[in-house]
Amino acid sequence: MKLYSYFRSSAAFRVRIALNLKGLDYDTIPVHLLRSGGEQHGESYRALNPEKLVPTLIDDGADNDGQAALAQSLAIIEYLEETQPQPPLLPSSAVDRAHVRGLALAIACDIHPLNNLRVLRYLSRELKLEEAARNDWYRHWCMQGLTALEARLSGDHRTGQFCYGDAPSLADCCLVPQIFNARRVDCDLSGMPTVLRIFDACMRLEAFERATPAQQPDAE
Amino acid sequence: MKLYSYFRSSAAFRVRIALNLKGLDYDTIPVHLLRSGGEQHGESYRALNPEKLVPTLIDDGADNDGQAALAQSLAIIEYLEETQPQPPLLPSSAVDRAHVRGLALAIACDIHPLNNLRVLRYLSRELKLEEAARNDWYRHWCMQGLTALEARLSGDHRTGQFCYGDAPSLADCCLVPQIFNARRVDCDLSGMPTVLRIFDACMRLEAFERATPAQQPDAE
């Protein structure tokens, strides 16, 4: 498998964690989102990923009829879950699977899209926002989303060492990159003991540590 | 089943389509996102949905140990797919399932979160943007996302009458509400023949028509 990745992309970071948790080998193909006007805008990457976003996963082994370039981090992780079920990243019951997917989507839909590179660029270039106002924006959505996540996790009996029970799941694959982002803009996470406890539990695992931005071949 | 919904919410709209496609009966409980400062902020709704977003689905029939309040439209639709498999909203092969989920997430993560009510409010209240600049923002993300979707759909042999083949899928549940939004802000969709052709095919189905904002009990 090949993963088109950028060391700092949270979406790529999620997939790296899932690949590591499942013990899958992969080659990283770096796509530098800033260099030369953004390598994601180049013709060859756009042919793979018309959204011009990372990550893209290529599964050479898939019976794919020439269509194994997979986009969207959560779709990729669901694909890994279906093709490489062990260890599972989703629970077995439908209600609990919806719970874990709901936690993941609360991050992937309601926090991260507001904080990614192209949005921050729009704030700066089109809306002429200074860095301080951009950081306020970033923190606002991080804090709002993570505060809700803390409420959900701390109030649910299914929360364990990790977001769901005592093994990492799809939800943890999304939580950890989001905390890295929150810390980059100095969010005050002191009111989120459950979120932070789970983050620390994740970071004690080699699968998470090896997926961090600093450990990537394209890290700066 | 009960669906906490707001007639104009695209996320609730997606779930309404899926419920209708699967022929499932449900009661609508309207949550007015604007009235009395936003009913989603009230204590009773927050207890169900700490993110204070619609929709929330309550499945009374679920073996849920008191935890059948499900959040996040895509998690809810995956839940419906697992508990009520017919007619399927996802293909059978893992690669194709990833393709359909990828199309859905390209809308749910990369377009819609930038255009929803709370974000437009931030633009207006915190960033003091006038309506014209807010509409530019809205159109920018709609056009960028839908242009990429057009490229993906028009270039993929799996695209049929609908986003995937000749029956509606999870991707169509996401596409139709997004086109309603795009039209509300006068996006120029003339360069997107595939997207528009699929939208029209969907709108000829009663399941989609009955899910539209205008058909909801709380429509204004």
Side-chain angles (χ1 to χ4, degrees), chain B residues 6-185:
Chain B
Y6 177 58
F7 73 109
R8 213 176 246 161
S9 153
S10 339
F13 190 175
R14 291 173 199 150
V15 174
R16 297 192 302 253
I17 297 167
L19 285 162
N20 293 345
L21 284 170
K22 288 188 175 284
L24 298 170
D25 257 348
Y26 66 96
D27 295 322
T28 299
I29 306 179
V31 181
H32 202 295
L33 301 189
L34 300 168
R35 202 178 289 154
S36 4
E39 292 176 0
Q40 73 279 22
H41 299 293
E43 214 169 300
S44 62
Y45 189 70
R46 252 171 43 209
L48 276 179
N49 187 311
E51 288 83 20
K52 303 181 271 181
L53 296 168
V54 291
T56 302
L57 182 82
I58 308 285
D59 186 0
D60 312 292
D63 174 17
N64 56 58
D65 198 20
Q67 295 285 352
L70 306 180
Q72 292 291 336
S73 59
L74 296 191
I76 293 171
I77 298 176
E78 295 267 2
Y79 172 82
L80 296 174
E81 181 74 0
E82 293 181 354
T83 54
Q84 313 275 352
Q86 294 305 322
L89 299 180
L90 285 172
S92 52
S93 88
V95 168
D96 287 357
R97 291 162 73 87
H99 172 61
V100 170
R101 286 184 175 124
L103 295 171
L105 288 160
I107 297 167
C109 292
D110 295 331
I111 308 178
H112 178 244
L114 295 160
N115 293 166
N116 73 8
L117 184 62
R118 60 194 188 126
V119 173
L120 298 176
R121 276 202 172 145
Y122 190 101
L123 295 178
S124 143
R125 292 182 186 172
E126 311 297 327
L127 303 184
K128 312 292 180 208
L129 253 56
E130 301 294 334
E131 195 184 347
R134 286 201 309 274
N135 285 343
D136 285 345
W137 162 279
Y138 200 123
R139 275 190 292 266
H140 175 81
W141 302 113
C142 265
M143 291 302 291
Q144 186 170 103
L146 290 173
T147 301
L149 202 68
E150 174 69 25
R152 200 175 267 287
L153 288 169
S154 65
D156 197 296
H157 68 94
R158 291 166 292 187
T159 306
Q161 250 189 286
F162 296 95
C163 286
Y164 175 87
D166 292 328
S169 70
L170 171 67
D172 303 286
C173 295
C174 294
L175 178 64
V176 164
Q178 189 59 54
I179 299 299
F180 269 72
N181 286 347
R183 286 186 167 167
R184 267 174 63 198
V185 289

Side-chain angles (χ1 to χ4, degrees), chain A residues 83-153:
Chain A
T83 53
Q84 312 276 350
Q86 295 305 324
L89 299 181
L90 286 171
S92 52
S93 89
V95 168
D96 288 357
R97 289 161 76 85
H99 171 62
V100 170
R101 286 184 175 123
L103 296 170
L105 288 160
I107 297 167
C109 291
D110 296 331
I111 308 177
H112 178 243
L114 295 159
N115 292 166
N116 72 8
L117 183 62
R118 61 194 188 129
V119 173
L120 299 175
R121 275 202 173 147
Y122 190 100
L123 295 178
S124 141
R125 293 181 187 172
E126 311 297 327
L127 303 183
K128 313 291 179 208
L129 254 56
E130 301 293 333
E131 194 182 350
R134 286 201 308 273
N135 285 343
D136 284 346
W137 161 280
Y138 199 124
R139 275 190 293 265
H140 175 80
W141 302 113
C142 264
M143 290 303 290
Q144 186 170 102
L146 291 173
T147 301
L149 201 71
E150 174 69 26
R152 200 174 267 288
L153 289 168

Side-chain angles (χ1 to χ4, degrees), chain B residues 191-205:
Chain B
M192 305 177 194
T194 317
V195 162
L196 287 182
R197 174 177 67 65
I198 293 170
F199 174 79
D200 290 340
C202 290
M203 291 309 300
R204 284 193 288 273
L205 300 182

